[in-house]
Amino acid sequence: MTDQAAPGGKPTSASRTTLSHIMTGNDTNLLGTVHGGVIMKLVDDAAGAVAGRHSGGPAVTASMDEMVFLEPVRVGDLVHVRAQVNWTGRSSMEIGVRVLAERWNESTPATRVGSAYLVFAAVDADGRPRPVPPVIPETERDKRRYQEAQIRRTHRLARRRAILELRERRAAEGRED
């Protein structure tokens, strides 16, 4: 992690945020629990706030990886969406998000109900990529998340390359879909 000392870098804590929301009947699916899409929107909103804070301007969602739902969320749950920058590239950032839920009227600890990793790209006024400052991991947990994010990035790029190669091979064989 040589870019820890890079000028203009920002510590992980500078853009970390929590978004909290009480789930209501308007948020439910046909099973009576909170719709996954509602949770995904909260995840995207929190991640977008973190990306904008870290990059100092507009940032757009490029991809959402590994959205995992661990437990159902119910009407009356107070949902906390915690997000932080895990890794930065030239113009992209991986944002890690943890979703917790607790009953609005109880003093029991919140339960982890989901997590996700999103990639955001910082953009200028014309929608073109713009540089982002390096993230500076502060804690051992931040350093671990940075390293894990690099692994996920490597896998994303390898998967993209493999799919493109397969499509090119199929096209060369005359088997375009």
Side-chain angles (χ1 to χ4, degrees), residues 56-95:
V60 296
T61 311
S63 71
M64 178 182 269
D65 287 351
E66 299 180 38
M67 181 71 213
V68 177
F69 298 100
L70 303 169
E71 299 284 337
V73 177
R74 302 172 293 158
V75 170
D77 281 352
L78 178 57
V79 173
H80 307 286
V81 183
R82 296 184 180 158
Q84 75 171 49
V85 176
N86 288 338
W87 175 90
T88 53
R90 286 186 305 271
S91 61
S92 64
M93 302 157 274
E94 184 194 88
I95 313 298

Side-chain angles (χ1 to χ4, degrees), residues 90-104:
R90 286 186 305 271
S91 61
S92 64
M93 302 157 274
E94 184 194 88
I95 313 298
V97 182
R98 179 171 287 178
V99 184
L100 306 162
E102 61 180 309
R103 295 305 293 166
W104 70 274

Side-chain angles (χ1 to χ4, degrees), residues 4-170:
Q4 282 186 352
K10 286 187 176 180
T12 306
S13 63
S15 57
R16 189 178 285 141
T17 194
T18 300
L19 172 70
S20 298
H21 189 78
I22 294 178
M23 298 292 106
T24 68
N26 291 333
D27 301 317
T28 59
N29 59 26
L30 295 175
L31 298 176
T33 57
V34 172
H35 196 290
V38 170
I39 301 299
M40 290 173 77
K41 182 180 183 330
L42 293 173
V43 164
D44 192 44
D45 287 346
V50 167
R53 283 180 173 184
H54 183 82
S55 68
V60 296
T61 311
S63 71
M64 178 182 269
D65 287 351
E66 299 180 38
M67 181 71 213
V68 177
F69 298 100
L70 303 169
E71 299 284 337
V73 177
R74 302 172 293 158
V75 170
D77 281 352
L78 178 57
V79 173
H80 307 286
V81 183
R82 296 184 180 158
Q84 75 171 49
V85 176
N86 288 338
W87 175 90
T88 53
R90 286 186 305 271
S91 61
S92 64
M93 302 157 274
E94 184 194 88
I95 313 298
V97 182
R98 179 171 287 178
V99 184
L100 306 162
E102 61 180 309
R103 295 305 293 166
W104 70 274
N105 60 346
E106 298 175 7
S107 60
T108 56
T111 302
R112 186 171 170 202
V113 296
S115 63
Y117 301 102
L118 295 88
V119 176
F120 274 76
V123 294
D124 63 18
D126 296 319
R128 288 186 295 256
R130 62 181 176 81
V132 298
V135 66
I136 303 169
E138 298 171 280
T139 66
E140 286 304 313
R141 177 181 279 179
D142 293 341
K143 291 173 186 175
R144 175 187 53 79
R145 288 179 176 167
Y146 184 95
Q147 291 170 328
E148 290 173 357
Q150 288 178 306
I151 293 167
R152 283 187 291 274
R153 180 176 188 273
T154 300
H155 288 176
R156 276 191 296 273
L157 294 175
R159 182 177 62 231
R160 185 178 301 145
R161 263 192 314 276
I163 289 170
L164 289 174
E165 288 170 6
L166 175 63
R167 289 178 180 171
E168 289 171 5
R169 220 173 25 251
R170 290 180 58 82

